[in-house]
Each structure stands twice: as structure tokens, then as C-alpha cells.
């Protein structure tokens, strides 16, 4: 009798374990091909003058043309766009810098011709989302490094294709995620790495941006149309990128599982009808999408997406540690359990010491990011680009290429930050079931210990 009871209990435990495992949705991890290796900390031979081909000269692309000439050792050798007026605008900007005119490419296949131009080192991609991955894959086949505007990939097939291509060609494949270079994020990352917040256990990021003013500015209304057709967090990278660096994702920890929930779609249909002037039969994406992620080491992340309501702009950026807290939105502040050394006039709330305004600036002064030299900070604020972070992003990309250093973001960052779009959709369409986040490094997520910016000695 006792044996039968034990056997029944064993069977019950086995069934429960099986059911629990079956709840988590898994996606395929394609095997790495023979001779193909990971590209963690990939470095290539230094490139003294980085010759760039620009593809896409809309809002983001034309601003990059304005910024890049401010960086020594940059040559914009080729430009491509479907619109003649965009090509003319780019050439006029370059003329203001007394730079030679770039080779022009146009038409539906112009981007392919540009990628085949031999005297190019880097293809800088600022087209609509749908064409990001195809262009990057072709460019790497042509032997070029690629820098891709966000989001770099829209589905798991594109993500794995970019990883495999980068590993096979040993070329840099970087996503142009500018928000990791904002000043508050750079300083807070340095503070986290110095242990100011203790051990980080939770982080929050978001893209909350009322786009009512911008919807009609996108070529062929492509961005609103994408939200009409796709459910999930379709634009996660600004929110998740900075906190992934703070949590050392694929540098000692990895994202393991996500669960996503959303509201019903209310505003999208109304906005589409207003912008397009046509009847909108349906709208897939919700007004608000929330995603909770757990890491291999048991830490958590909360990511939000909202571009359809008048909620105030926020990327959240909150770090929660055992001994401290950082928050950028809605108010910049740090809360520390122990007083930081130095004569800082911090006011006390309960047991925490809250740093805001001038006290916050005084605290930050002791934790300047190693990449943020006074000269770079000055140039960033003068040249601009979302307050300067775009210029820092461009500068760091060129700096690393010129010095033969690993880039600040690799193809696995690209994969991890972009995968939220297809995986949140998978969770939402399956009654909010948890979804396993693949190990895009295929076993190498803890080979590198801690996130570090590469700096030339």
C-alpha cells in the first residue's frame, strides 16, 4: 500500500512538473553551424578613416548626416534614398562642411548598389523598420560593417539571421540605440558598476511617447500602419537597452522568461482614421502594453509601451538595488540607504537619503562615465541630437572602429532588445502565457564578466 501511495505521489509530481513546463512557450534556437563562433567582444583591424554609406535620409538619416561630419576621421562616401529631395538635402548639408559630394543611389534597388560600392567600411541604415534587417544582411554579405536604426529586427527569423551573418562574416552588426548614451543613464550605469546601489535586483524601462504630433510625418504612414497590423511591444529598445547594460545581460546574466499583458485597443483606430482620412476596420496594437521579465539570476525587469495616449513622455529608467535606487522619470532622483562620503546636503526621508536637484548633481559629479570626457560632453551638447546622446552614440561607434575595439553594443544586444516585439506578441496571443527568451549567445552568456565600455590605452 505504501509503495502504491509513493508511486502515485511520484506520478502526480511528474505530471505537475510536466504541466508547469508545458505552460512556458518555447521558440527554436537554431544550431550554430560548423566553424561558426560567437562574436562577443569582437574587434577588427583599426580603420583610420571610416567611409560610410548612408541608406535612408528621412528624419533619422538626415540628422545623422548633420552630426557625422563633426567627428574626425569620418567620410560620407555614398547616400541612398527613394526621394530625390532627400538626396539633395544631404548633399547641401555636406557642402556646408566643405565636403566632397557623396555618390548617389536611388530607386528600389539603389541600396544594393550602394552596398556593393567597394570603398565603404560601414553601412548606416535609417530606413523604415521593415527594410532594416534585409539591408543589413545584404551589406554584411558585401563585406561591410552595419549600424542599424531601431528596431533592427522585427521577428525571430530576422534576429537569428543577423546573429548568424555576424558570426559567419566576423563583421560588426550594431543597433543604433541612442538612449544608453543619455547623461543620466551613463552616470547611473557607472554608479551601479561601482556598487552604489548594492546588488541590482529589479529595473524598469519604457517607451511612453504620445506620437499624435508625429504620426503624419512618417513616409507613407508606415509607422502607424505597423502598429495597426502588429500587437505587442513593437518598440522596446529605448526602454530595455539601458537597463540591460546595468544588469549585465549576456555578460554574467541573461533574460530567461517574459509575460506580457495589454489593454484593449481604443485610440489606434481613431488616430488612423484621422491621419489617413479613411475608414479603419481594426487596429491590432493596444494603447498600453506591459511586460515582466525574469533573468537567470532571479532578477526582474518591467517594460512598458504606450504611444497612443496623452500620457507624459517617459522611458522610466529605474534601477532598484539592495542599498539604493535610481529614477529618471518622472523626477530625477537617487535614494541611498547609506550616506555617500563627502559633504553633500541630503535631506532625510525615513531611513533613505534622497538626492534631487543640486544634491543629485553633486552626487553624480563623483561618478562620471569613463567614456564621457569633457571634450565629448561639450561637443555633444553643441552638435545635439536628442540632447546630445545621438552624437555620443555616433562618436563612440567611430571611435571603436578607429581604434579596433569592441563596439559598445553587439549583435546579441540587438537580438535581446528586439526580441520583445515577437515574444510579447506570442505571450499576448496565448492568454498571457510565459514565453522563454532564447539564449542568443547559444551558451556564452556568462563568458564575459560584467558590462564595460572599451577604451583605447
Amino acid at each position: 500500500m505504501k509503495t502504491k501511495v509513493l508511486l502515485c505521489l511520484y506520478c502526480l509530481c511528474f505530471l505537475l512538473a510536466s504541466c508547469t513546463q508545458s505552460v512556458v512557450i518555447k521558440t527554436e534556437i537554431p544550431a550554430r553551424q560548423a566553424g561558426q563562433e560567437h562574436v562577443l567582444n569582437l574587434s577588427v583591424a583599426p580603420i583610420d578613416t571610416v567611409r560610410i554609406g548612408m541608406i535612408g535620409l528621412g528624419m533619422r538619416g538626415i540628422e545623422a548626416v548633420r552630426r557625422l561630419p563633426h567627428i574626425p576621421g569620418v567620410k560620407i562616401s555614398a547616400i541612398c534614398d527613394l526621394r530625390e529631395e532627400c538626396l539633395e538635402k544631404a548633399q547641401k548639408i555636406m557642402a556646408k562642411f566643405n565636403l566632397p559630394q557623396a555618390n548617389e543611389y536611388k530607386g528600389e534597388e539603389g541600396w544594393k548598389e550602394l552596398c556593393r560600392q567597394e570603398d565603404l567600411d560601414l553601412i548606416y541604415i535609417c530606413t523604415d523598420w521593415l527594410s532594416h534587417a534585409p539591408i543589413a544582411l545584404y551589406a554584411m554579405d558585401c563585406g561591410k560593417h552595419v549600424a542599424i536604426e531601431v528596431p533592427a529586427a522585427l521577428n525571430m527569423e530576422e534576429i537569428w539571421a543577423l546573429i548568424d551573418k555576424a558570426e559567419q562574416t566576423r563583421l560588426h552588426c550594431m543597433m543604433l540605440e541612442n538612449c544608453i548614451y543619455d547623461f543620466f543613464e551613463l552616470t547611473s550605469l557607472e554608479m551601479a558598476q561601482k556598487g552604489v546601489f548594492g546588488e541590482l535586483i529589479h529595473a524598469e524601462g519604457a517607451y511612453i511617447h504620445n506620437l499624435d504630433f508625429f504620426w503624419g510625418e512618417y513616409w507613407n504612414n508606415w509607422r502607424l500602419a505597423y502598429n495597426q497590423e502588429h500587437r505587442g511591444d513593437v518598440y522596446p529598445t529605448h526602454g530595455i537597452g539601458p537597463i540591460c547594460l546595468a544588469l549585465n545581460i549576456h555578460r554574467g546574466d541573461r533574460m530567461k522568461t517574459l509575460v506580457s499583458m495589454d489593454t484593449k485597443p481604443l485610440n489606434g483606430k481613431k488616430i488612423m482614421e484621422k491621419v489617413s482620412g479613411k475608414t479603419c476596420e481594426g487596429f491590432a496594437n493596444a494603447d498600453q502594453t506591459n511586460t515582466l521579465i525574469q533573468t537567470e539570476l532571479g532578477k526582474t525587469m518591467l517594460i512598458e509601451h504606450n504611444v497612443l495616449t496623452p500620457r507624459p513622455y517617459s522611458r522610466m529608467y529605474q534601477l532598484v538595488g539592495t542599498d539604493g535606487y535610481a529614477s529618471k522619470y518622472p523626477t530625477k532622483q537617487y535614494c541611498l540607504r547609506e550616506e555617500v562620503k563627502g559633504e553633500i546636503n541630503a535631506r532625510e526621508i525615513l531611513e533613505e537619503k534622497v538626492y534631487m536637484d543640486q544634491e543629485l548633481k553633486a552626487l553624480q559629479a563623483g561618478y562620471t562615465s569613463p567614456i564621457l570626457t569633457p571634450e565629448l560632453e561639450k561637443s555633444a551638447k553643441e552638435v545635439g541630437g536628442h540632447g546630445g546622446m545621438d552624437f555620443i552614440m555616433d562618436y563612440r561607434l567611430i571611435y571603436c572602429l578607429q581604434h579596433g575595439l569592441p563596439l559598445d553594443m553587439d549583435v546579441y544586444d540587438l537580438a535581446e532588445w528586439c526580441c520583445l516585439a515577437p515574444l510579447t506578441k506570442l505571450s499576448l496571443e496565448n492568454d498571457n502565457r510565459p514565453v522563454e527568451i532564447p539564449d542568443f549567445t547559444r551558451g556564452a552568456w556568462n563568458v564575459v564578466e560584467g558590462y564595460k565600455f572599451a577604451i583605447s590605452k
Side-chain angles (χ1 to χ4, degrees):
M1 181 67 180
K2 185 177 181 181
T3 302
K4 290 183 178 179
V5 171
L6 289 173
L7 183 60
C8 289
L9 286 173
Y10 174 80
C11 291
L12 180 60
C13 290
F14 178 79
L15 287 171
L16 286 172
S18 299
C19 289
T20 302
Q21 291 175 359
S22 67
V23 168
V24 180
I25 301 172
K26 298 186 178 183
T27 61
E28 180 184 2
I29 300 179
R32 184 176 275 141
Q33 298 300 307
Q36 187 175 318
E37 297 179 354
H38 71 70
V39 287
L40 291 163
N41 280 344
L42 174 70
S43 60
V44 300
I47 306 171
D48 291 335
T49 298
V50 180
R51 301 163 300 180
I52 299 176
M54 301 286 306
I55 303 179
L57 299 169
M59 285 189 288
R60 290 290 180 92
I62 205 68
E63 289 304 314
V65 173
R66 296 183 198 278
R67 296 189 308 267
L68 287 164
H70 290 276
I71 304 173
V74 167
K75 181 181 180 182
I76 299 177
S77 300
I79 55 176
C80 176
D81 199 278
L82 292 171
R83 296 159 293 181
E84 185 70 38
E85 62 270 24
C86 293
L87 294 167
E88 292 176 0
K89 186 184 294 186
Q91 298 284 28
K92 287 179 181 178
I93 291 171
M94 295 174 65
K96 289 181 180 179
F97 287 93
N98 295 317
L99 297 174
Q101 296 290 278
N103 293 336
E104 290 186 6
Y105 297 90
K106 60 191 77 172
E108 295 294 336
E109 297 290 303
W111 61 272
K112 289 185 177 180
E113 296 178 51
L114 183 148
C115 290
R116 293 194 294 266
Q117 181 174 317
E118 291 187 3
D119 62 337
L120 295 177
D121 305 296
L122 173 71
I123 305 301
Y124 198 111
I125 304 166
C126 298
T127 56
D128 66 279
W129 299 353
L130 293 172
S131 58
H132 284 177
I135 293 174
L137 291 167
Y138 189 84
M140 284 189 281
D141 275 334
C142 293
K144 312 299 195 298
H145 302 292
V146 293
I148 320 165
E149 257 299 347
V150 298
L154 301 176
N155 54 58
M156 300 304 286
E157 291 77 14
E158 289 183 346
I159 288 171
W160 282 115
L162 289 170
I163 290 172
D164 284 336
K165 189 66 68 177
E167 291 182 350
Q168 291 160 6
T169 60
R170 315 302 291 175
L171 291 166
H172 289 301
C173 179
M174 170 186 149
M175 184 164 62
L176 292 161
E177 180 42 70
N178 55 353
C179 292
I180 75 166
Y181 298 104
D182 213 350
F183 298 104
F184 188 89
E185 284 87 337
L186 284 173
T187 302
S188 300
L189 175 61
E190 180 70 8
M191 293 173 72
Q193 292 171 335
K194 292 291 176 61
V196 174
F197 309 122
E199 181 180 353
L200 294 185
I201 58 173
H202 175 73
E204 300 184 12
Y207 186 70
I208 299 168
H209 189 183
N210 177 19
L211 293 178
D212 285 358
F213 179 78
F214 299 97
W215 288 124
E217 300 298 314
Y218 293 98
W219 174 72
N220 277 357
N221 200 26
W222 64 263
R223 187 165 180 176
L224 187 57
Y226 191 86
N227 277 269
Q228 181 186 12
E229 297 169 6
H230 295 84
R231 187 181 180 189
D233 190 337
V234 299
Y235 200 68
T237 70
H238 290 331
I240 196 171
I243 65 175
C244 276
L245 300 191
L247 291 174
N248 296 317
I249 297 302
H250 84 250
R251 300 167 178 93
D253 198 359
R254 74 177 189 91
M255 298 191 296
K256 188 177 180 181
T257 311
L258 69 75
V259 173
S260 192
M261 296 185 183
D262 62 357
T263 65
K264 60 183 179 180
L266 295 173
N267 279 333
K269 183 178 178 180
K270 292 185 290 184
I271 292 171
M272 175 59 82
E273 291 180 344
K274 181 178 179 180
V275 170
S276 67
K278 301 176 182 178
T279 301
C280 178
E281 298 300 333
F283 202 92
N285 216 6
D287 290 8
Q288 172 88 21
T289 302
N290 307 307
T291 303
L292 190 62
I293 300 169
Q294 186 167 51
T295 74
E296 185 73 36
L297 300 185
K299 302 178 181 186
T300 56
M301 308 162 73
L302 174 63
I303 309 296
E304 295 187 17
H305 178 264
N306 182 330
V307 295
L308 295 166
T309 76
R311 185 176 172 185
Y313 181 89
S314 173
R315 300 198 303 273
M316 293 175 73
Y317 190 74
Q318 297 181 20
L319 305 178
V320 181
T322 55
D323 296 315
Y325 167 80
S327 175
K328 184 174 182 180
Y329 299 92
T331 302
K332 294 179 182 178
Q333 63 177 322
Y334 297 110
C335 298
L336 304 180
R337 174 168 288 151
E338 295 181 358
E339 189 171 2
V340 176
K341 293 180 180 179
E343 296 181 1
I344 299 173
N345 182 24
R347 59 189 179 87
E348 293 188 16
I349 297 180
L350 299 177
E351 295 181 353
E352 295 84 30
K353 299 190 183 300
V354 179
Y355 297 85
M356 299 173 66
D357 302 323
Q358 293 305 314
E359 289 84 4
L360 180 142
K361 292 179 181 179
L363 175 61
Q364 288 182 319
Y367 297 96
T368 302
S369 171
I371 69 170
L372 199 58
T373 64
E375 295 78 16
L376 177 55
E377 183 172 356
K378 182 174 182 293
S379 296
K381 291 178 179 178
E382 289 175 352
V383 176
H386 291 95
M389 62 184 179
D390 294 0
F391 181 77
I392 299 173
M393 174 186 70
D394 290 334
Y395 178 89
R396 281 293 300 174
L397 169 60
I398 301 303
Y399 173 92
C400 291
L401 290 173
Q402 289 175 335
H403 291 85
L405 298 172
L407 303 188
D408 295 341
M409 294 170 279
D410 59 29
V411 72
Y412 308 114
D413 292 308
L414 178 160
E416 289 153 353
W417 306 349
C418 288
C419 80
L420 261 66
L423 297 188
T424 56
K425 178 182 179 182
L426 196 57
S427 177
L428 293 169
E429 292 182 347
N430 286 275
D431 298 321
N432 315 112
R433 284 171 59 186
V435 177
E436 183 179 77
I437 301 173
D439 173 13
F440 294 105
T441 69
R442 290 183 272 216
W445 59 271
N446 56 358
V447 169
V448 177
E449 187 176 348
Y451 182 81
K452 295 182 180 66
F453 290 111
I455 298 177
S456 178
K457 295 181 181 179

